[in-house]
Amino acid sequence: MEIKLSTLVKQMAESETIKMSQKARDLTAQGHEVINLSLGEPDFDTPQHIKDAAVAALQAGFTKYTPVPGLPELRKAIQQKFSRDNDLHFGLDDIVVSNGAKQCLANVMLAYLDPGDEAIIFTPYWVSYYEMIRMSGAKPVLLGAGIDQDFKVSPGQLKEAITARTRMILFSSPCNPTGTVYAKEELEALAEVLKEYPDILVVSDEIYEYINFKGKHFSIGSIPHMRDRTVTVNGFAKGFAMTGWRLGYMGGPTWLAKACSKIQSQFTSGANSFGQKAAVTALGKWFGTDFGDAGTVSAETGSAR
Ligand SMILES: Cc1ncc(COP(=O)(O)O)c(C=O)c1O
């Protein structure tokens, strides 16, 4: 058969970080000593109590499909995490659990952007943003901030980059790759600019919240006038050393969370069941609270035990 590929895949670039990490693996296999700084892998293993919770859930037969946006007990735990750590106050319907923060971001792009829209990415940036935006048909617009400004976009720069087509602003804080952390006052100043542009959605990638060497973490979505127009993305990969588990989550306006869930329902359904149970335990220990036991099934999920 003749090779035939879609226009979409032909136009897409492969993930640069995944390409680099494969190269590192290949060189290691050839006997080279390689320090691999490509993928954001924490330097500790998933804590034992989290692994035990997954095993307990598996042993208890918690192996079926879960609700697409995530187990209610996990979404409740995430709801409390957002509230305590980030001053973000979501309803359960505003939260969607996905196969990694990466899928949360892809869901948001596909749910929100249209061809012709522009999405501003603060640079230096995590490489997947660019291709995800392109996959949605929208145009990525790079807004650079160099070392002289601590890799932080200024309000003036933001204002200048906004056009009539801008529909999204996307950045990570703490930032991958620079590690820079936007202070509360800096995010307030950017949010002030956005007051003039109510059609622009902010996507705040906070996956590195707990790997922060710079300053106090602050969520732009907690600024009162930003609450209804910010999607906050986070996950278990980095802070809990669970990269391979593929568990991320987003909180945002109900209409967008519902749209993300709709997209996810067609691509992957809910995230893996026993991983979600273990994530409840991960957040529980972090909080010093029992959000529910691995292996028990809430009546709400209706899943078999
Ligand atoms: C900035 C940023 N956002 C999102 C992700 C994806 O996280 P996850 O592994 O939960 O999909 C990464 C992973 O490296 C990242 O660096």
Coordinates of all heavy atoms in Angstrom, one line a residue, residues 6 8 16 24 28 31 39 45 59 83 102 115 143 151 155 163 166 176 188 201-202 290 297 300:
S6 N -2.2 11.9 6.9 CA -3.1 13.0 6.9 C -2.3 14.3 6.8 O -1.1 14.4 7.2 CB -3.9 13.1 8.2 OG -3.0 13.3 9.3
L8 N -2.8 16.8 8.7 CA -2.5 17.1 10.1 C -1.1 16.6 10.6 O -0.3 17.3 11.0 CB -3.6 16.6 11.0 CG -3.4 16.9 12.5 CD1 -3.7 18.3 12.9 CD2 -4.2 15.9 13.3
E16 N 9.8 17.6 20.7 CA 11.3 17.8 20.8 C 11.9 17.1 22.1 O 12.9 16.5 22.0 CB 11.7 19.3 20.8 CG 11.4 20.0 19.5 CD 12.3 19.5 18.4 OE1 13.4 18.9 18.7 OE2 12.0 19.6 17.2
A24 N 18.9 10.4 24.2 CA 19.7 10.1 25.4 C 19.7 8.6 25.7 O 20.7 8.0 26.1 CB 19.1 10.9 26.6
T28 N 22.9 6.1 25.8 CA 23.2 5.4 27.0 C 23.4 3.9 26.6 O 24.3 3.2 27.1 CB 22.0 5.5 28.0 OG1 21.8 6.9 28.3 CG2 22.3 4.8 29.4
G31 N 26.6 2.9 25.5 CA 27.7 2.9 26.5 C 28.2 4.3 26.9 O 29.1 4.5 27.7
L39 N 13.4 15.3 29.5 CA 12.1 15.2 30.1 C 12.1 15.7 31.5 O 13.2 15.5 32.2 CB 11.6 13.8 30.0 CG 11.3 13.2 28.7 CD1 11.0 11.7 28.8 CD2 10.2 13.9 28.0
D45 N 11.6 8.4 43.4 CA 10.6 7.5 42.9 C 9.2 7.9 43.5 O 9.2 8.6 44.5 CB 11.0 6.1 43.4 CG 10.2 5.0 42.7 OD1 9.5 5.3 41.7 OD2 10.4 3.8 43.1
Q59 N -5.9 -4.9 43.7 CA -6.3 -6.1 44.4 C -7.8 -6.2 44.7 O -8.4 -7.2 44.7 CB -5.5 -6.3 45.7 CG -4.0 -6.4 45.5 CD -3.6 -7.7 44.8 OE1 -4.4 -8.4 44.3 NE2 -2.3 -8.0 44.9
S83 N -8.4 24.8 46.5 CA -8.9 25.8 47.4 C -7.8 26.2 48.4 O -7.6 27.3 48.7 CB -10.2 25.2 48.1 OG -10.6 26.1 49.1
K102 N -0.7 17.0 30.0 CA -0.6 17.2 28.5 C -2.0 17.0 27.9 O -2.3 17.8 27.0 CB 0.4 16.1 28.0 CG 1.0 16.5 26.7 CD 2.1 15.4 26.4 CE 3.2 16.0 25.5 NZ 4.3 15.1 25.3
P115 N -9.7 27.7 13.9 CA -8.7 28.2 12.9 C -8.9 29.7 12.8 O -10.0 30.2 12.8 CB -9.2 27.5 11.6 CG -9.8 26.2 12.1 CD -10.5 26.5 13.4
L143 N 5.7 35.2 22.4 CA 6.0 36.5 23.0 C 7.2 36.3 23.9 O 7.1 35.6 25.0 CB 4.8 36.9 23.8 CG 4.9 38.3 24.5 CD1 5.4 39.4 23.6 CD2 3.6 38.7 25.1
F151 N 13.0 36.4 32.3 CA 12.2 35.5 31.5 C 10.7 35.8 31.8 O 9.9 34.9 31.7 CB 12.5 34.0 31.7 CG 13.9 33.7 31.5 CD1 14.7 33.3 32.5 CD2 14.4 33.7 30.2 CE1 16.1 32.9 32.3 CE2 15.7 33.4 29.9 CZ 16.6 33.0 31.0
P155 N 3.7 43.8 31.2 CA 2.3 44.2 30.8 C 2.4 44.9 29.5 O 1.5 44.7 28.6 CB 1.9 45.1 31.9 CG 2.7 44.7 33.1 CD 4.0 44.2 32.6
T163 N -3.9 41.1 19.5 CA -4.5 41.6 18.3 C -6.0 41.3 18.4 O -6.5 40.6 19.3 CB -4.0 40.9 17.0 OG1 -4.5 39.5 17.0 CG2 -2.5 40.8 16.9
T166 N -6.6 37.5 19.0 CA -6.1 36.8 20.2 C -7.2 36.3 21.0 O -8.1 37.0 21.4 CB -5.2 37.8 21.0 OG1 -4.2 38.4 20.2 CG2 -4.5 37.0 22.2
N176 N 8.7 25.9 32.8 CA 9.6 25.0 32.1 C 9.9 25.7 30.8 O 8.9 25.9 30.0 CB 8.9 23.7 31.9 CG 9.8 22.7 31.1 OD1 10.9 23.0 30.9 ND2 9.2 21.5 30.8
E188 N -0.8 40.2 38.6 CA -1.9 41.2 38.7 C -1.8 42.2 37.7 O -2.7 42.7 37.1 CB -1.9 41.8 40.1 CG -2.6 40.9 41.2 CD -2.3 41.3 42.6 OE1 -1.5 42.2 42.9 OE2 -3.0 40.8 43.5
L201 N -8.9 33.9 26.9 CA -8.8 32.9 27.9 C -7.4 32.8 28.3 O -6.5 32.8 27.5 CB -9.3 31.6 27.4 CG -9.3 30.4 28.3 CD1 -10.5 30.5 29.3 CD2 -9.3 29.1 27.6
V202 N -7.1 32.7 29.6 CA -5.8 32.4 30.1 C -5.6 31.0 30.5 O -6.5 30.4 31.2 CB -5.4 33.3 31.3 CG1 -4.1 32.9 32.0 CG2 -5.4 34.8 30.9
D290 N -7.9 12.2 55.2 CA -8.3 11.0 54.4 C -9.4 11.3 53.5 O -10.5 11.6 53.8 CB -8.8 9.9 55.4 CG -9.0 8.6 54.8 OD1 -8.7 8.5 53.6 OD2 -9.6 7.7 55.4
V297 N -15.1 1.8 46.8 CA -15.7 2.5 45.7 C -16.8 3.3 46.1 O -17.7 2.8 46.8 CB -16.1 1.4 44.6 CG1 -16.8 2.1 43.5 CG2 -15.0 0.6 44.2
E300 N -21.3 6.9 44.2 CA -21.5 7.8 43.1 C -20.9 7.3 41.8 O -21.4 7.6 40.7 CB -20.7 9.2 43.4 CG -21.6 10.2 44.1 CD -20.7 11.3 44.5 OE1 -20.0 11.2 45.5 OE2 -20.7 12.4 43.8

